[in-house]
Amino acid sequence: MDAPAAHDRSLNVRYPQRAATWRLRTRTLHFGRRPLLMGVINVTPDSFSDGGRFVGLDAAVEQGRRLAAEGADLLDIGGESTRPYADVVPADEELLRVVPVIERLARELGVPISIDTSKAAVARAALAAGAEVINDITGLEGDPEMIGVALETRAGVCAMHMQGTPQTMQDDPRYGDVVEEILDYLRQRRDALLAAGIERERICLDPGVGFGKTHQHNLTLMAHCYRFHQLGAPILVGHSRKGFLAKVLGDKEADRDAATAGSALALAGQGVQIVRVHNVRMVREALAAFEACGGVDGQELVLAP
């Protein structure tokens, strides 16, 4: 039997409410057949995957250059670890870590920069330094001034779901229906941001894989990310190198980059618009091969003679 016509399998047909663009502070991102890649730069001594590797200014800037060269579509810079049980970092220290890095990379690169913070003062300074996006794990709820910063700067915003705080989220996460409950939360946050005056096209949503979820919760979310398209906002997923992948592999010490790339293909198949990853090159190459071989809609790459 012949395969169905390519247009019958297109993302627009399968997910008619899927967002096609995301407006940032000074530019607009457009989404196609593959997810855009958000490269991670942790300017921290204690992040779960690469803590301490990019604490210094020069090391962090060099990592930004490397990720951009590898194909990152955005760079996400954070100065406070949000791994389970991480210590809270004072705003002054967070500012010292991230602002010089953002200033350098915004000046040198054409890649839009996201500030990963839940503190309004840090977000404001980062945006003044050249950032385009506020990426807030508290869904812009943790600091009462954060929405005001987003409104003043007209930044793109990403609101994430988290059960509890980084200090409590993995104590005993429970849900009746993890997908339905997070869908409801993200709908409420979208509506609250709209009511506050943030434009619909500037809002991105993140189900918060790894933030107050068991390994099974994370797998269930990964398999059902397509459901979040009904909210009409871009979906960002940060699954890179997380513990549920080690559980799947059966080895806590395993290198999780290949598993990260494999699961990114599952997200691509669901039309997820942005994936946040550490190893940009590996995920980009996996997605390129996936797309060339038919990808989400059966349209294979036609090679030049």
Side-chain angles (χ1 to χ4, degrees):
M1 180 182 294
D2 290 338
H7 63 82
D8 292 334
R9 296 163 58 185
S10 70
L11 292 173
N12 290 338
V13 169
R14 283 187 286 152
Y15 311 118
Q17 294 171 289
R18 178 179 181 262
T21 62
W22 183 21
R23 284 183 63 191
L24 312 186
R25 185 173 59 86
T26 69
R27 66 189 89 181
T28 299
L29 299 180
H30 297 267
F31 305 116
R33 295 170 67 216
R34 72 161 178 88
L36 300 186
L37 301 180
M38 174 182 273
V40 181
I41 305 176
N42 291 315
V43 194
T44 61
D46 56 344
S47 291
F48 83 95
S49 176
D50 54 7
R53 291 186 61 196
F54 311 117
V55 170
L57 172 59
D58 290 341
V61 169
E62 182 56 34
Q63 176 65 357
R65 294 177 184 137
R66 182 180 303 112
L67 293 174
E70 291 178 355
D73 300 290
L74 303 94
L75 296 174
D76 192 43
I77 299 173
E80 179 178 50
S81 174
T82 52
R83 64 175 174 77
Y85 312 110
D87 294 331
V88 175
V89 175
D92 288 350
E93 176 63 25
E94 195 174 338
L95 285 165
L96 287 173
R97 293 177 181 180
V98 300
V99 170
V101 178
I102 293 170
E103 287 176 339
R104 287 266 300 273
L105 291 176
R107 187 168 61 246
E108 291 185 22
L109 304 176
V111 178
I113 293 171
S114 164
I115 177 63
D116 180 358
T117 188
S118 57
K119 300 181 182 71
V122 175
R124 181 178 285 108
L127 292 161
E132 295 273 339
V133 173
I134 300 168
N135 183 16
D136 187 347
I137 65 168
T138 73
L140 284 78
E141 290 190 283
D143 187 327
E145 296 183 12
M146 187 66 90
I147 289 178
V149 173
L151 285 168
E152 292 165 20
T153 61
R154 297 173 66 81
V157 299
C158 184
M160 195 191 81
H161 173 274
M162 174 173 55
Q163 188 178 94
T165 68
Q167 292 72 41
T168 65
M169 64 187 183
Q170 293 307 121
D171 287 346
D172 186 23
R174 294 174 180 263
Y175 300 87
D177 181 327
V178 65
V179 178
E180 193 64 34
E181 289 176 35
I182 292 173
L183 182 62
D184 286 344
Y185 171 82
L186 292 178
R187 181 182 292 110
Q188 291 169 17
R189 290 312 299 150
R190 178 203 64 187
D191 291 348
L193 295 173
L194 289 170
I198 295 177
E199 297 160 298
R200 181 180 296 271
E201 56 267 33
R202 296 189 189 276
I203 299 171
C204 178
L205 301 171
D206 180 346
V209 169
F211 286 82
K213 285 92 176 171
T214 65
H215 295 324
Q216 186 61 60
H217 291 147
N218 291 323
L219 288 172
T220 300
L221 280 175
M222 293 286 290
H224 293 87
C225 276
Y226 66 91
R227 290 188 58 191
F228 299 110
H229 289 309
Q230 67 187 268
L231 300 175
I235 304 304
L236 186 154
V237 177
H239 66 291
S240 183
R241 296 179 177 172
K242 290 191 173 172
F244 77 96
L245 296 173
K247 181 70 172 178
V248 169
L249 298 174
D251 180 0
K252 288 183 178 181
E253 304 305 316
D255 183 315
R256 303 172 192 176
D257 280 345
T260 297
S263 45
L265 303 185
L267 297 174
Q270 298 176 68
V272 167
Q273 289 94 335
I274 307 165
V275 291
R276 180 181 183 274
V277 297
H278 299 83
N279 190 333
V280 167
R281 181 183 297 279
M282 180 180 286
V283 177
R284 180 182 60 78
E285 291 177 351
L287 287 168
F290 174 72
E291 186 175 17
C293 296
V296 298
D297 54 14
Q299 296 185 39
E300 77 276 10
L301 176 68
V302 178
L303 297 172

